[in-house]
Amino acid sequence: MKNIILAADIGGTTCKLGIFNGELEQLHKWSIKTDTSDHTGKTLLKNIYDSFNETLSTHQLKIDDVIGVGIGVPGPVDFETGIVNGAVNLHWPGSVNVRQIFSEFINCPVYVDNDANVAALGEKHKGAGQGADDVVAITLGTGLGGGIISNGELVHGHNGSGAEIGHIRTDFDQRFNCNCGKSGCIETVASATGVVNLVNFYYPKLTFKSSILPLIKDNKVTAKAVFDAAKAGDQFCIFITEKVANHIAYLCSIISATSNPKYIVLGGGMSTAGLILIENIKTEYHNLTFTPAQKDTEIVQAQLGNDAGITGAAGLIKTYILEKGGVK
């Protein structure tokens, strides 16, 4: 009887792997090193398959018992075909058909999606968005990404660019260039990189004294240092925190008026800043947002941490195979 799901969350350094049952209960998890030497992706995907096979055998499980394989990848994905259109962190400069390659190793459905999308799906199934069909996850890390789930399904758009929320313009002065080639994207002012951008922009212009001045002078300032200093009462860092929160609140306002989620889940390293960031976001969100669109919407901190990716990758199989009978 087919009763297990294999899940992979591929990162630039490590691949997190997991085995789940059909209810997304995690049976086993582990990780392997990401091999980026082969620009076609085949070596990495074979390594993942071999590790799955070995671990299944170790736990007296069979490859024939696999319902499907879900894979999250850090790059733009065509969900219908499973093609990843370049992945910088994996050194995949061109298109890689992950579904096709992995299907050469295993005889079951293989679903592939962007890593931020699968993290959102993980929080929807087993995390802070559990029980809701309309959930948005915002990942606040070195960059800013996210996933939108509407009526129980991930939003992909006609070419896979749906939910690329990190590239919504919120800095209308367009002060900082984004890796996408544009300027003013929220990623440039509300990610960990964005916090540093704002510190370096504002400090020479303001009269605030700050405990992080030595870090600024040595070009060693980090988002964590800023939030920690803000919690300790540093007025300049409080100012920066409020600026960051206002940008995120504006993004949440746009999302609420567009897809009206029940939960907006904040994850990634910056979300651990805690109340000083999240409460500022909530306050400005309620000031900005169309009243019916914010009614009963909750802004919450992600719960799954590093397990969001593998849980969501397994969630691809639960959502699109077990619940919906496959993507048509």
Side-chain angles (χ1 to χ4, degrees):
M1 178 181 176
K2 291 182 179 293
N3 57 4
I4 57 174
I5 297 170
L6 303 181
D9 177 20
I10 300 177
T13 304
T14 62
C15 297
K16 300 176 185 68
L17 306 178
I19 302 173
F20 294 78
N21 66 18
E23 296 303 314
L24 296 191
E25 294 171 342
Q26 188 183 101
L27 305 179
H28 307 286
K29 70 171 181 176
W30 69 102
S31 63
I32 63 172
K33 184 178 178 180
T34 301
D35 186 336
T36 59
S37 63
D38 177 5
H39 295 178
T40 71
K42 290 182 179 179
T43 299
L44 172 56
L45 294 171
K46 181 62 163 57
N47 289 347
I48 291 170
Y49 171 76
D50 288 343
S51 188
F52 277 141
N53 216 5
E54 180 181 344
T55 304
L56 286 169
S57 298
T58 301
H59 292 90
Q60 288 75 53
L61 298 169
K62 298 178 181 178
I63 203 79
D64 291 340
D65 295 331
V66 176
I67 302 166
V69 181
I71 302 175
V73 182
V77 179
D78 184 324
F79 183 67
E80 291 189 2
T81 64
I83 294 174
V84 180
N85 294 303
V88 175
N89 290 344
L90 303 181
H91 298 175
W92 295 354
S95 296
V96 175
N97 194 326
V98 173
R99 175 183 292 170
Q100 182 182 74
I101 294 170
F102 210 85
S103 294
E104 295 173 5
F105 311 135
I106 192 168
N107 184 27
C108 68
V110 177
Y111 280 63
V112 186
D113 212 331
N114 171 265
D115 57 353
N117 282 349
V118 298
L121 200 58
E123 291 290 343
K124 175 247 190 295
H125 278 298
K126 289 291 184 179
Q130 193 167 353
D133 281 338
D134 296 276
V135 177
V136 172
I138 301 174
T139 304
L140 304 169
T142 303
L144 189 152
I148 297 174
I149 299 166
S150 182
N151 295 325
E153 293 196 37
L154 284 160
V155 171
H156 295 103
H158 77 95
N159 68 7
S161 297
E164 287 288 350
I165 58 177
H167 301 292
I168 291 174
R169 179 175 289 169
T170 67
D171 178 24
F172 298 105
D173 293 328
Q174 301 178 55
R175 291 168 291 180
F176 313 109
N177 294 327
C178 182
N179 290 332
C180 74
K182 306 288 186 182
S183 57
C185 299
I186 189 170
E187 183 168 295
T188 68
V189 288
S191 63
T193 303
V195 172
V196 176
N197 284 342
L198 292 178
V199 166
N200 291 330
F201 178 82
Y202 279 111
Y203 196 79
K205 298 173 170 57
L206 300 175
T207 58
F208 289 118
K209 303 297 181 183
S210 177
S211 60
I212 67 166
L213 180 57
L215 295 176
I216 297 172
K217 288 182 174 179
D218 291 340
N219 200 28
K220 292 182 178 178
V221 68
T222 64
K224 183 179 186 303
V226 171
F227 295 135
D228 286 347
K231 292 174 191 176
D234 185 296
Q235 290 301 304
F236 175 67
C237 292
I238 290 172
F239 171 83
I240 294 296
T241 300
E242 290 174 349
K243 288 289 184 184
V244 171
N246 288 351
H247 283 286
I248 296 170
Y250 179 68
L251 173 65
C252 292
S253 177
I254 292 171
I255 289 168
S256 284
T258 305
S259 70
N260 191 215
K262 168 61 179 169
Y263 295 106
I264 299 175
V265 181
L266 304 179
M270 267 177 49
S271 70
T272 60
L275 294 179
I276 195 162
L277 179 63
I278 293 176
E279 291 304 315
N280 272 300
I281 292 170
K282 288 180 179 179
T283 298
E284 185 64 8
Y285 169 77
H286 291 305
N287 290 336
L288 287 172
T289 308
F290 175 54
T291 301
Q294 65 171 276
K295 185 176 185 295
D296 297 326
T297 293
E298 297 180 45
I299 297 176
V300 295
Q301 189 171 347
Q303 294 178 354
L304 296 182
N306 289 332
D307 285 354
I310 53 171
T311 305
L316 291 172
I317 303 305
K318 179 174 174 59
T319 300
Y320 294 103
I321 296 294
L322 299 179
E323 296 178 352
K324 300 183 182 300
V327 174
K328 304 295 189 292

